[in-house]
Amino acid sequence: MFDENSNSDEGGAPATTEADDAGKAVSPLSEEDRLLLSQCEGRIQAFGKAAADAGEAFDTIKDKELHRHYRMTWAEYTMARWGVSVSQVDRLIAAAPVMRELSIPNEGTARELVPAYREWGADSARALWDGTKEGSENKPTAKVLRAAVQSAKEKIGEGKKVPAPDKLLSLARKTVARVVKEDAAAKAEKAAAKKAPAPAPAAAGEAETGGAGAPNGGASTWALPDSAVQEFSRLFAAQAEASGRAPEDVALEAFDVLRKHYSATGDQAAA
């Protein structure tokens, strides 16, 4: 808590009756307000600067302008006294009722429900919160909540009557399912891109034959489908195990047989 007679850097000097830069009188706080400020700052210190209790205490200090005790503006007070930007504190003030009402410990998560809480009330915000929890193993992220609120606004429309909680609950569940599905697809696509095999190097003799055996002579642009590559790989592996040779030796031998066969066929056709 602060000491009203302190001149330290943390607390600053208490205000006196004097004129500020705009010429408006700055009155010292009454004894009652000084006590209230002390209680509010005690709550912030006790519960931490990101808790719902801190948000409510900050809200009281701002609303009643108790920061005047330190001859500071609201922005100066939050930074000098607590080391937190005014935008962070204002976000916490906005989220505090949601955190308290829905028992959400994280301001960043609760923040996403502030629009629904303000526009539709606590029951509607709770329905969205419960719906997202059910669809995300009880750990909804800010991203999922943001999508749920946005989906509800789009489907219901701005300015219409307060939606039924059960409707919001259903919308939230569907939104979570969609977001989870989209995230899974994106992860799978990214993983597949990382695992995609590099183009196989040209086998010996391919350049000499001009890619005989490839459709329309397009050896440089045509490749075996993945299914065929897998089938040949299994075949070569089985033959290698049976003969005690390396799979790559079996594959090269098979390729050489095919190359000679198609070269001979081509020579006969030319003759």
Side-chain angles (χ1 to χ4, degrees):
M1 298 183 185
F2 69 92
D3 179 354
E4 65 180 10
N5 296 314
S6 171
N7 251 342
S8 66
D9 292 336
E10 181 187 42
T16 57
T17 305
E18 59 186 21
D20 62 12
D21 293 338
K24 182 180 178 181
V26 179
S27 302
L29 300 182
S30 65
E31 182 178 350
E32 181 181 356
D33 282 346
R34 288 199 300 272
L35 177 59
L36 180 59
L37 176 60
S38 177
Q39 293 170 342
C40 288
E41 292 190 324
R43 289 177 68 190
I44 297 170
Q45 290 173 337
F47 293 99
K49 292 174 285 188
D53 285 270
E56 293 166 352
F58 276 126
D59 189 27
T60 299
I61 294 172
K62 181 180 182 181
D63 182 61
K64 295 185 175 297
E65 298 184 340
L66 302 181
H67 53 277
R68 291 181 295 118
H69 176 80
Y70 299 105
R71 289 191 292 188
M72 294 177 182
T73 64
W74 173 237
E76 291 170 344
Y77 169 77
T78 62
M79 181 56 69
R81 187 78 172 89
W82 302 105
V84 183
S85 70
V86 68
S87 58
Q88 289 177 289
V89 173
D90 286 345
R91 286 197 297 267
L92 178 60
I93 290 174
V98 180
M99 297 169 70
R100 173 75 67 192
E101 190 81 32
L102 306 184
S103 299
I104 302 176
N106 183 278
E107 177 270 326
T109 302
R111 185 194 315 163
E112 303 300 336
L113 286 170
V114 170
Y117 181 87
R118 288 178 172 174
E119 186 174 348
W120 300 328
D123 289 342
S124 297
R126 182 178 291 104
L128 288 172
W129 173 242
D130 290 343
T132 53
K133 283 197 298 182
E134 290 178 13
S136 55
E137 299 181 353
N138 213 35
K139 296 179 180 179
T141 63
K143 176 183 177 181
V144 167
L145 278 168
R146 190 181 312 122
V149 173
Q150 184 59 36
S151 177
K153 284 189 173 184
E154 291 174 356
K155 289 186 177 296
I156 296 166
E158 300 283 353
K160 293 187 178 180
K161 67 177 183 179
V162 177
D166 59 338
K167 186 174 183 180
L168 288 175
L169 186 71
S170 177
L171 280 172
R173 289 171 180 159
K174 292 178 181 178
T175 301
V176 173
R178 173 176 59 80
V179 172
V180 169
K181 185 176 180 180
E182 290 174 352
D183 287 348
K187 289 179 180 179
E189 184 178 351
K190 187 176 181 180
K194 288 183 178 180
K195 293 181 179 179
E206 185 175 356
E208 297 176 5
T209 62
N216 300 323
S220 62
T221 59
W222 183 83
L224 283 173
D226 289 343
S227 57
V229 172
Q230 293 174 1
E231 189 61 30
F232 275 118
S233 296
R234 284 193 291 267
L235 177 64
F236 295 150
Q239 182 62 30
E241 184 176 358
S243 62
R245 301 166 62 194
E248 53 266 33
D249 292 337
V250 175
L252 288 174
E253 181 181 74
F255 175 82
D256 191 54
V257 171
L258 287 171
R259 182 179 62 79
K260 289 178 180 179
H261 170 75
Y262 283 107
S263 293
T265 303
D267 291 340
Q268 290 176 2

